[in-house]
Amino acid sequence: MAEEITDSPAPWVADHIRRFVETGGNPRPGTNDLLLTTRGRRSGKLRRTALVYATDADRYVVAASNAGADRNPAWYLNLVADPDVTVQVGALSRPARAYPAPAAERSRLWQLMITTMPSYQDYQNTTTREIPLVIIEPSGAHARRRDRPMTSGRR
């Protein structure tokens, strides 16, 4: 039996996840949406959220914006504690590894994210924290390269 997945407690995110599932991964045509499942750092339960993404070669990039709140979202804290995640893009769901973008890549990836979704810049302007960017490498993509720990950059 598959392990139960708990969707985001935020009603608007839970509705977005429901639409994602109902539409086979295309809840907002023209917008790149993915589902990210992390393991709760305290509960150990699987937690799922919906995020806008950009692509960078064979990787997905997401912003831990939390809509400009002054704290990082729970899903980000979860993947820092356990970088083994599941990512679903369209109808394809697969295991992946997620890690904060290294400083050397951040500026370029931030430009990519605000081009993908300009409101990220507004979110950044409303908070004092630097919004983390996360790189998600589906299994197979990161296996072709040397494995990287969470806190190091690309080798």
Side-chain angles (χ1 to χ4, degrees):
M1 185 164 107
E3 193 172 350
E4 183 179 342
I5 298 172
T6 302
D7 289 342
S8 172
W12 69 274
V13 178
D15 286 344
H16 189 84
I17 294 167
R18 181 187 47 76
R19 284 191 313 278
F20 188 103
V21 171
E22 288 173 353
T23 62
N26 194 23
R28 300 183 296 173
T31 301
N32 293 335
D33 290 305
L34 62 73
L35 296 182
L36 179 68
T37 303
T38 61
R39 185 160 303 278
R41 66 197 176 286
R42 292 188 298 245
S43 70
K45 295 180 180 179
L46 295 178
R47 307 287 185 182
R48 182 166 62 177
T49 193
L51 300 163
V52 170
Y53 73 90
T55 55
D56 183 54
D58 57 357
R59 312 178 305 173
Y60 302 108
V61 181
V62 296
S65 70
N66 206 12
D70 286 329
R71 66 189 184 291
N72 289 321
W75 64 262
Y76 176 78
L77 301 174
N78 290 343
L79 71 80
V80 168
D82 182 354
D84 294 321
V85 300
T86 300
V87 63
Q88 181 176 343
V89 176
L92 178 63
S93 180
R94 55 190 169 159
R97 188 153 184 95
Y99 57 94
E105 291 189 81
R106 190 179 194 298
S107 179
R108 178 181 65 81
L109 295 176
W110 181 250
Q111 290 305 310
L112 179 64
M113 289 309 297
I114 62 173
T115 298
T116 300
M117 188 169 149
S119 59
Y120 283 136
Q121 187 60 58
D122 296 334
Y123 296 159
Q124 183 60 75
N125 294 340
T126 63
T127 185
T128 57
R129 70 183 173 94
E130 181 178 75
I131 293 175
L133 298 179
V134 173
I135 296 171
I136 303 168
E137 292 184 340
S139 292
H142 73 274
R144 287 190 296 270
R145 296 190 268 265
R146 290 158 65 191
D147 195 37
R148 295 186 272 294
M150 281 291 292
T151 56
S152 75
R154 297 178 68 87
R155 291 186 188 165

